Amino acid sequence: MSGPVLVTGAAGRIGTVLRGGLPERGWAVRCLDVVPIVDTRPGEEQVVADAADLAAMVDAAAGASAVVHLAGHSGESTWPVISRSHIESTYCALEAARRAGIDRVVLASSNHATGFTPRPASGLLREADAPPRPDTYYGAAKVAMEALASLYADRYGMDVVCLRIGSAFPEPTALRHLSTWLSPADSVALVDAALTAPAPGFAVVWGVSANTRNWWDLSAARALGYEPQDDAEVYAEALIEAYGEPDLADPVHARVGGDYVLPSFDAQE
Ligand code: 15L
């Protein structure tokens, strides 16, 4: 690889994890975020800019070898916030990569692109079994992200890997996370696999750890070279003691999007 990987949203939750882990896997990191990173690490480059600003993104992409696009409001918000921070910024990430001659882009999609999909009572959902079924504006923006990825892969021959991330947190804190957790170490492993897989073209893969209670099939992610190490099950006893076993009749547990499907997440002004 030559040139750093441009990581947008580098000051955020997953960005911070990648800043720690990608260098250990041989990647130099160029950070981009709207807020300055205060604990800059040795060798790290920093750009303070909005990922939805095409000119800034074109400048930031110059000389990079790949783009990992994480920037965007993490969760549901108003349409102006969601459309700019996810859809406009995804266009900018892809277009800046194309103009810079970068042919590998990794996009942080989300399980919420398919959030109204019923949770399977048994068996595993493959990506192909879960067409777009967004639960929020946020989820709909991730569907648009995946569509833009498909466009840039088909039209320009770029490799664009969309990671439908589950719950990327330091540790599981809710019953649902026993199925949806993506650990920090596995976040790094998954992004590294998406960056290095030979010629993936357009790909959409689930982003979760090797959780005993997974409802998403990891075959497609493993085919990229992802080897998850963590399993949320080590937290099961404590979470089930606190909250009881998940009740599939409860709307929060009936659909893969969890509480995002509830009326409290109705579209905001
Ligand atoms: C996401 O996509 C969000 O970014 C994150 O904040 C969580 O809500 C996560 O999904 C989840 O489903 O747990």
Side-chain angles (χ1 to χ4, degrees), residues 114-155:
T114 66
F116 266 112
T117 305
R119 169 184 167 172
S122 63
L124 294 168
L125 279 172
R126 292 171 305 154
E127 293 78 356
D129 303 324
R133 201 161 173 190
D135 51 27
T136 44
Y137 287 153
Y138 173 70
K142 296 302 191 184
V143 174
M145 166 184 274
E146 293 180 4
L148 283 164
S150 176
L151 171 67
Y152 273 73
D154 279 339
R155 184 165 292 278

Side-chain angles (χ1 to χ4, degrees), residues 233-260:
E233 202 59 19
V234 296
Y235 299 89
E237 198 180 320
L239 286 169
I240 288 167
E241 193 180 314
Y243 303 111
E245 284 282 353
D247 173 6
L248 286 193
D250 179 342
V252 169
H253 295 299
R255 310 272 173 164
V256 303
D259 58 0
Y260 281 50

